[in-house]
């Protein structure tokens, strides 16, 4: 049975044409880009061409892009690297309570180093409140880190305004754009972004490669010690096949952004409207308008998301009960609790993330399956009988 994959926020399939571009750099063109013979200089050029592809997509300069091992490392570098390099200016950082664990846990680590962190709350749709952000700013504030779009509920934050507020106060602004790249247009100049994290495998590129944009003039300490690669910001021999892959993947994602987003958001809207039409007592989580094209996160009252997911799995459908990281724990998602869902409702949530390979037929199969599975589980649920 061909799997129907609706978990594109967890990872995406590497495109075959991108894989073809990467292949020569595993074995034939294996040279270390730091060496100085002709073969290595050629590989070095290929690495810089990839940098340029990334820079062009987000309106940055080539020398403002640094390669990392993924979104997690980019977030760590932005938070810890910036905090440690700018400690003399202040020890206060502002973030939100719905950030990815890569940001939240970097902040927790910085708290142990003597930094003070403000975790902004969000409203019922997952937006941070700009007046609360303004109020949280102090003389000691050196950095604001707010994600471009949330991985669980798809809410797109007012990034341009957040960046403007940061800059009015002379504070640097980092955004985790791992979910946003390839889904919505990103322009670091227009959106007042100083640092931005991305990850190859979230836009049909390879896993284990990411990048960070660091605006010229922004000081960041490296967080792993070693050689002088990546202009001293990230030690370690470059992952050349991955770098080639992420470069072509972002080029493709940017070139096809409007077309893909339009088609994907139409499928998402179709899924949302059918679920709301055919299943009573459901709640769409996240904002209806400012949300990622592929994201539809629903809470289904009276039943467990875990059970829905498992029954869908037996029908060959892959969905998520929250973020992949929290799916293995019994605690409900902290993002869903942060938007005010009670524990029992948060527990009954399913995240569908539609990608560029999903078809209308697959979405129809998904809808029919969700309707059937929810109905079956509710019939077995004593809570549902009481609630009626
Ligand atoms: C997936 C994800 C990450 C982590 O990226 P990896 O490359 O898997 O380390 C960080 N932030 C967000 C919002 C993500 O969705």
């Amino acid at each position: 049975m061909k799997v129907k994959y609706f978990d594109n926020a967890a990872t995406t399939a590497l495109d075959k044409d991108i894989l073809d571009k990467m292949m020569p750099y595993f074995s034939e063109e294996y040279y270390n880009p730091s060496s100085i013979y002709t073969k290595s200089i050629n590989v070095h050029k290929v690495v810089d061409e990839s940098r340029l592809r990334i820079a062009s997509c987000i309106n940055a300069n080539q020398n403002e892009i640094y390669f990392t091992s993924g979104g997690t490392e980019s977030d760590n570098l932005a938070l810890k690297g910036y905090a440690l390099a700018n400690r003399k200016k202040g020890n206060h950082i502002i973030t939100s309570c719905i950030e990815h664990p890569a940001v939240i846990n970097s902040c927790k680590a910085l708290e142990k180093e003597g930094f003070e962190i403000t975790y902004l709350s969000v409203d019922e749709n997952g937006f941070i409140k700009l007046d609360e952000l303004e109020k949280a700013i102090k003389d000691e504030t050196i950095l604001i880190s707010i994600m471009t779009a949330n991985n669980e509920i798809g809410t797109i934050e007012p990034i341009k305004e957040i960046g403007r507020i940061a800059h009015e106060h002379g504070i640097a602004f980092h955004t985790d754009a791992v979910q946003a790249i390839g889904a919505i247009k990103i322009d670091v100049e227009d959106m007042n972004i100083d640092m931005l994290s991305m990850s190859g495998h979230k836009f049909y590129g390879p896993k284990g490669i990411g990048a960070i944009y660091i605006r010229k003039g922004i000081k960041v300490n490296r967080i792993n010690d070693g050689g002088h690669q990546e202009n001293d910001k990230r030690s370690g021999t470059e992952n050349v096949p991955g770098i080639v892959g992420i470069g072509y993947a972002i080029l493709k994602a940017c070139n096809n952004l409007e077309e893909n987003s339009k088609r994907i958001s139409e499928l998402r809207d179709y899924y949302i409207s059918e679920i709301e039409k055919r299943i009573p007592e459901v709640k769409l989580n996240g904002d209806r308008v400012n949300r990622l094209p592929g994201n539809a996160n629903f809470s289904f009252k009276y039943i467990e998301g875990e059970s829905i997911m498992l029954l869908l799995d037996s029908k060959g459908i892959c969905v998520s009960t929250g973020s992949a990281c929290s799916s293995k724990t019994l605690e409900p998602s902290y993002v869903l609790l942060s938007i005010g869902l009670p524990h029992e409702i948060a527990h009954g949530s399913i995240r569908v993330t539609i990608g560029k390979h999903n078809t209308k037929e697959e979405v129809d199969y998904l809808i029919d399956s969700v309707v059937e599975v929810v109905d079956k589980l509710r019939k077995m649920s004593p809570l549902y009988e009481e609630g009626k």
Side-chain angles (χ1 to χ4, degrees):
M1 176 165 56
K2 185 180 172 284
V3 159
K4 277 105 190 139
Y5 185 72
F6 288 103
D7 201 15
N8 288 278
T11 194
T12 55
L14 173 65
D15 279 340
K16 292 285 190 304
D17 58 324
I18 306 288
L19 176 63
D20 289 343
K21 298 280 195 192
M22 294 168 62
M23 284 310 277
Y25 298 95
F26 282 104
S27 184
E28 291 146 48
E29 301 294 328
Y30 56 85
Y31 308 97
N32 189 321
S34 296
S35 302
I36 49 176
Y37 27 82
T38 308
K39 279 296 191 184
S40 280
I41 291 168
N42 287 342
V43 172
H44 192 110
K45 273 190 201 141
V46 165
V47 168
D48 279 341
E49 281 166 17
S50 182
R51 229 184 279 287
L52 182 58
R53 289 188 185 102
I54 293 175
S56 307
C57 178
I58 62 171
N59 193 23
N61 288 317
Q62 175 179 331
N63 54 11
E64 295 172 311
I65 305 297
Y66 304 86
F67 293 109
T68 66
S69 65
T72 299
E73 190 188 335
S74 293
D75 284 342
N76 272 263
L77 185 55
L79 273 290
K80 296 175 186 170
Y82 187 84
L84 297 174
N86 293 277
R87 172 161 232 170
K88 284 207 187 83
K89 289 190 205 158
N91 73 336
H92 181 232
I93 295 170
I94 302 172
T95 187
S96 84
C97 57
I98 62 163
E99 298 297 311
H100 189 273
V103 168
I104 300 248
N105 290 335
S106 290
C107 287
K108 298 270 177 231
L110 286 170
E111 280 177 317
K112 294 203 183 95
E113 301 291 323
F115 285 89
E116 189 203 332
I117 317 283
T118 299
Y119 300 89
L120 296 175
S121 65
V122 294
D123 69 13
E124 70 279 7
N125 289 334
F127 294 114
I128 71 146
K129 300 158 215 159
L130 295 176
D131 54 332
E132 266 185 28
L133 170 64
E134 296 249 26
K135 270 185 230 143
I137 293 173
K138 319 194 263 192
D139 289 346
E140 297 76 32
T141 311
I142 52 171
L143 177 64
I144 296 172
S145 177
I146 303 290
M147 67 203 321
T148 312
N150 184 268
N151 45 304
E152 290 192 41
I153 56 175
T155 300
I156 300 169
E157 299 293 338
I159 291 305
K160 184 173 176 168
E161 287 68 37
I162 297 168
R164 185 179 49 74
I165 291 170
H167 289 176
E168 275 169 12
H169 292 84
I171 299 166
F173 175 44
H174 165 251
T175 190
D176 174 339
V178 172
Q179 290 290 336
I181 295 285
I184 59 171
K185 180 95 193 77
I186 300 287
D187 180 324
V188 292
E189 288 305 324
D190 179 55
M191 297 166 101
N192 308 310
I193 297 165
D194 297 311
M195 292 185 281
L196 175 145
S197 306
M198 67 175 76
S199 173
H201 74 104
K202 300 289 175 80
F203 47 86
Y204 308 93
K207 293 174 182 58
I209 185 75
I212 181 169
Y213 155 76
I214 304 176
R215 182 183 290 278
K216 186 166 181 274
I218 293 282
K219 292 217 164 26
V220 172
N221 282 3
R222 63 183 194 207
I223 53 173
N224 56 335
D225 293 305
H228 301 294
Q229 292 92 348
E230 296 298 291
N231 207 8
D232 251 356
K233 292 228 181 352
R234 202 277 184 170
S235 300
T237 301
E238 296 85 344
N239 170 2
V240 178
I243 288 171
V244 170
I246 194 175
Y248 281 106
I250 199 168
L251 178 70
K252 195 171 167 184
C254 269
N255 284 343
N256 301 323
L257 189 140
E258 274 172 40
E259 189 189 323
N260 281 342
S261 293
K262 181 169 180 293
R263 205 182 67 82
I264 291 169
S265 50
E266 279 166 10
L267 287 176
R268 174 206 61 194
D269 290 343
Y270 173 60
Y271 171 77
I272 291 176
S273 69
E274 287 298 304
I275 293 299
E276 290 182 331
K277 211 183 300 166
R278 292 173 60 181
I279 310 181
E281 301 200 70
V282 298
K283 181 186 177 300
L284 179 69
N285 298 312
D287 193 66
R288 248 169 226 278
V289 180
N290 289 314
R291 85 183 293 134
L292 287 171
N295 178 292
N297 185 318
F298 271 109
S299 295
F300 300 91
K301 243 175 137 179
Y302 309 116
I303 53 179
E304 293 281 331
E306 197 88 350
S307 318
I308 305 173
M309 191 207 73
L310 291 174
L311 285 181
L312 290 176
D313 185 34
S314 70
K315 291 170 161 294
I317 296 173
C318 306
V319 297
S320 162
T321 53
S323 71
C325 322
S326 61
S327 298
K328 285 190 187 116
T329 69
L330 285 175
E331 270 299 293
S333 141
Y334 62 94
V335 174
L336 295 178
L337 297 181
S338 296
I339 60 170
L341 295 194
H343 271 244
E344 66 278 12
I345 308 272
H347 266 303
S349 305
I350 287 292
R351 177 188 74 181
V352 161
T353 42
I354 299 169
K356 67 176 182 178
H357 298 305
N358 291 123
T359 61
K360 168 85 165 34
E361 289 67 39
E362 286 180 335
V363 175
D364 275 320
Y365 179 71
L366 171 70
I367 293 164
D368 288 342
S369 303
V370 171
V371 169
E372 183 191 317
V373 162
V374 168
D375 184 57
K376 179 172 169 182
L377 290 170
R378 279 186 176 168
K379 283 195 173 122
M380 289 157 45
S381 161
L383 293 173
Y384 185 56
E385 289 305 311
E386 282 166 28
K388 270 202 291 194

